[in-house]
Amino acid sequence: MIINLNEVDIISVNKQYDVCLCGTGPAGVTVARILAKQGKNVAVFEGGGLEYTDLSQDLYLGESVGLNYWDSVHLARLRYFGGTSNHWGGRCAFLDNVDFEHRKYYGLPGWPVTKEEVFKFFDPACSVLDISRESFQTPQLIKWEGKNFRLSEKAASPPTRIGNKYYAELKASSNIDVYINANLTNINLNKDLDTVTSFEIRNYNNKRYLFLARCYVIALGAIENARLLLNCDKQIPNGIGNQNGMVGRCFMEHFNIEFGRFVSNDLPIWQRDIIELNPSEDMIREWQTGNAVLHFERSYNPESYGRLKEFKQAIRDQVCKSDTLTNLSRNLVDFDCPGDGVITSMIEQSPNLKSRVYLGSEKDIFGMRRVILDWQVNDADYRTIRTLGVEVAKEMARSGVARVQLKDYILDDTKDIIEFGQHAHQMGTTRMSEDPRFGVVNKNLKIHGFKNIYVAGSSVFPTGGGANPTLSIVMLSERLGNHLANNLN
């Protein structure tokens, strides 16, 4: 059933649900569907409506004070039915074994679960995202002989829009009540401050409702999960789950760094004009770097224009036959040769306590303090970026696939990296750790110190790996849904 909280006068607030869950993105809907299939009654709350509205989206307004994050605090996430899946690009990839390991050079514990524990839910997660196990393969005609890098394995979701795909199922379900225009504004606790007793939900008329359940889940995304817990400070001054000051810490993104340009040889490997490479797991361990995807894309043959285009094209062709003349020309102008390409990236950010989400003084229409994001980079990140850049250039040269010209800031660590691009992959802030000193939730995603509240989504990632997060989000959500269903019997 789908209920518009703006359009009803009376809600049966005395109804006891098995689970109250906030969020209708890939994490929230996945958990709700699993619970419903196993006979549990679930209330699902979506702060927005079935379509985008400025009224809902503006609740995501916040401030960015660290690295330039453009307007991604506000616009990289969507606040209506289906969540951020409504503008997801669809790239699916999975984490490597090394991503789950404890890497001492990061200074914080790694994942408290193994890859095997998470990948038990690989096939059902693929089904949610409309891909299959067989989708993950490298092009058959490509032969790669590199040692320190390997071809990326990925799959392309249509992409799946969670709200569109599951709207009819959720509407028809007798075990799920979806409340839209239903904003979670407070989490109420018992007198011992270790058990959630209700969710406080408000509609856009600012009418308040209390919803009760046996357990509770928040699945609002990395920034909003932290913002909500920090705002719930009426009974616990520092916010729920923040007894060790970890809520909001270790905000992570995937860096998009421009490494430079390259000239490729005319080999069959370039049949699609694109190569994507991951560092090998052995290289990550040996060089103590993060994971990544390095994207090599060839441009089409550059053309000259204007009244003298034939003459200029002839000059370009001659210059491009000489490495010396090409390098000289590039020192003077932005000069392209046939087969030239650019190198971009998706690079893992290390967990960094100084990279964080916290609250400002400005409040939204519900009286909740707005978020401030301080996105920070550290020495481990610089080491990863520069090491991967140099080593992939060497690998390309050894394999004869391309000749790489790296940006000066990759080769010279005294020069600043001009711009840290991002992919809107917001992770961390309620990280998973068995030791409460280093995280917010345990391996089953229950908040430390509490008996019945859980967190779903990429905010629980201890590290980000070198893969787009959506597939991992859904696998962890499948795992959480089954865990809750088994423990609510």
Side-chain angles (χ1 to χ4, degrees):
M1 183 183 300
I2 296 181
I3 304 162
N4 187 342
L5 205 59
N6 281 344
E7 298 178 354
V8 295
D9 294 325
I10 300 174
I11 294 292
S12 179
V13 296
N14 293 322
K15 181 176 180 180
Q16 178 77 35
Y17 288 97
D18 291 310
V19 178
C20 280
L21 185 154
C22 194
T24 61
V29 168
T30 297
V31 173
R33 292 180 62 244
I34 292 169
L35 290 166
K37 288 178 180 178
Q38 299 195 39
K40 309 306 177 187
N41 293 317
V42 186
V44 178
F45 306 101
E46 167 55 56
L50 296 178
E51 301 292 339
Y52 176 94
T53 66
D54 288 337
L55 177 63
S56 176
Q57 189 66 27
D58 284 354
L59 292 167
Y60 276 169
L61 285 169
E63 185 179 0
S64 180
V65 299
L67 294 175
N68 190 347
Y69 204 53
W70 306 106
D71 199 19
S72 294
V73 173
H74 179 213
L75 297 178
R77 47 203 185 120
L78 293 177
R79 201 177 188 275
Y80 67 100
F81 188 65
T84 302
S85 76
N86 286 301
H87 67 185
W88 174 48
R91 190 182 192 276
C92 296
F94 47 81
L95 297 171
D96 295 318
N97 288 311
V98 69
D99 296 323
F100 288 87
E101 295 173 3
H102 173 53
R103 287 175 272 177
K104 292 182 179 179
Y105 53 90
Y106 274 169
L108 288 169
W111 291 67
V113 293
T114 65
K115 181 177 179 178
E116 289 71 24
E117 289 178 85
V118 175
F119 273 66
K120 290 177 183 177
F121 304 96
F122 182 74
D123 289 325
C126 286
S127 178
V128 169
L129 299 175
D130 298 306
I131 55 176
S132 66
R133 185 178 290 265
E134 291 71 30
S135 303
F136 292 87
Q137 55 185 3
T138 56
Q140 295 297 314
L141 297 179
I142 291 180
K143 184 179 180 182
W144 177 258
E145 297 179 351
K147 173 186 175 184
N148 288 330
F149 292 83
R150 57 184 171 80
L151 292 170
S152 298
E153 293 180 286
K154 62 179 181 178
S157 173
T160 301
R161 306 301 182 209
I162 294 295
N164 293 340
K165 179 175 181 177
Y166 292 113
Y167 173 81
E169 177 184 327
L170 297 177
K171 184 177 180 180
S173 175
S174 60
N175 288 330
I176 299 177
D177 290 335
V178 178
Y179 297 89
I180 59 173
N181 297 309
N183 299 277
L184 177 56
T185 55
N186 195 39
I187 298 172
N188 295 310
L189 307 175
N190 67 349
K191 62 185 175 83
D192 294 326
L193 304 180
D194 64 357
T195 303
V196 175
T197 57
S198 63
F199 271 179
E200 180 183 290
I201 305 293
R202 294 179 184 264
N203 65 14
Y204 286 99
N205 300 316
N206 211 22
K207 187 172 182 179
R208 183 174 71 104
Y209 303 94
L210 296 180
F211 287 85
L212 284 64
R214 296 163 64 188
C215 76
Y216 301 79
V217 179
I218 59 169
L220 299 171
I223 291 178
E224 205 64 13
N225 280 345
R227 180 189 177 217
L228 173 68
L229 293 176
L230 291 171
N231 265 292
C232 292
D233 58 357
K234 294 177 181 177
Q235 294 175 269
I236 300 178
N238 294 324
I240 290 176
N242 199 32
Q243 57 269 32
N244 293 299
M246 287 299 295
V247 173
R249 301 278 183 180
C250 299
F251 173 85
M252 298 177 293
E253 252 282 8
H254 281 126
F255 299 125
N256 184 6
I257 304 295
E258 290 191 12
F259 278 87
R261 72 169 86 213
F262 66 93
V263 179
S264 61
N265 295 323
D266 191 18
L267 299 174
I269 197 170
W270 290 109
Q271 60 181 320
R272 300 184 183 181
D273 291 319
I274 294 174
I275 296 175
E276 289 185 340
L277 300 175
N278 293 80
S280 70
E281 295 189 72
D282 286 342
M283 179 186 163
I284 291 170
R285 296 183 186 104
E286 179 183 354
W287 288 91
Q288 298 189 350
T289 70
N291 211 332
V293 177
L294 303 181
H295 183 98
F296 290 74
E297 183 170 5
R298 293 202 304 183
S299 62
Y300 294 102
N301 288 343
E303 296 183 13
S304 300
Y305 300 92
R307 294 173 58 189
L308 299 176
K309 67 177 183 179
E310 290 84 3
F311 174 72
K312 289 189 285 187
Q313 189 67 42
I315 294 296
R316 181 191 298 274
D317 293 343
Q318 290 301 312
V319 169
C320 288
K321 292 178 181 179
S322 165
D323 289 345
T324 301
L325 291 177
T326 297
N327 290 331
L328 178 61
S329 299
R330 285 176 173 165
N331 287 331
L332 301 175
V333 295
D334 189 12
F335 186 85
D336 292 325
C337 287
D340 270 10
V342 295
I343 311 167
T344 56
S345 58
M346 187 180 76
I347 297 178
E348 178 181 19
Q349 178 178 3
S350 63
N352 178 358
L353 293 171
K354 294 181 179 180
S355 184
R356 60 181 294 217
V357 168
Y358 60 98
L359 301 180
S361 58
E362 184 181 346
K363 295 182 179 180
D364 66 18
I365 59 175
F366 297 111
M368 299 182 72
R369 286 175 290 165
R370 294 192 183 274
V371 73
I372 296 176
L373 173 64
D374 189 2
W375 183 33
Q376 293 291 337
V377 63
N378 63 16
D379 289 343
D381 301 319
Y382 285 112
R383 183 178 68 247
T384 289
I385 292 165
R386 292 189 167 110
T387 299
L388 292 179
V390 170
E391 292 305 313
V392 79
K394 292 178 181 177
E395 186 109 314
M396 284 297 203
R398 282 195 300 265
S399 60
V401 172
R403 291 170 292 160
V404 173
Q405 183 183 50
L406 295 170
K407 297 277 190 179
D408 288 345
Y409 54 69
I410 301 296
L411 296 170
D412 187 349
D413 61 11
T414 66
K415 295 187 176 182
D416 291 334
I417 294 179
I418 299 172
E419 182 177 314
F420 284 83
Q422 41 82 21
H423 290 270
H425 297 167
Q426 297 168 352
M427 301 168 285
T429 73
T430 65
R431 69 191 313 266
M432 192 192 319
S433 172
E434 282 302 274
D435 188 332
R437 295 176 300 167
F438 306 117
V440 177
V441 301
N442 67 13
K443 67 179 182 180
N444 292 319
L445 308 188
K446 184 166 64 175
I447 295 180
H448 287 296
F450 292 84
K451 295 180 179 179
N452 65 340
I453 181 168
Y454 297 77
V455 181
S458 57
S459 69
V460 306
F461 287 17
T463 59
N468 304 63
T470 304
L471 178 59
S472 297
I473 289 171
V474 178
M475 284 192 284
L476 286 171
S477 301
E478 290 273 349
R479 182 174 178 268
L480 174 59
N482 282 279
H483 173 79
L484 293 177
N486 293 334
N487 284 275
L488 285 172
N489 293 329

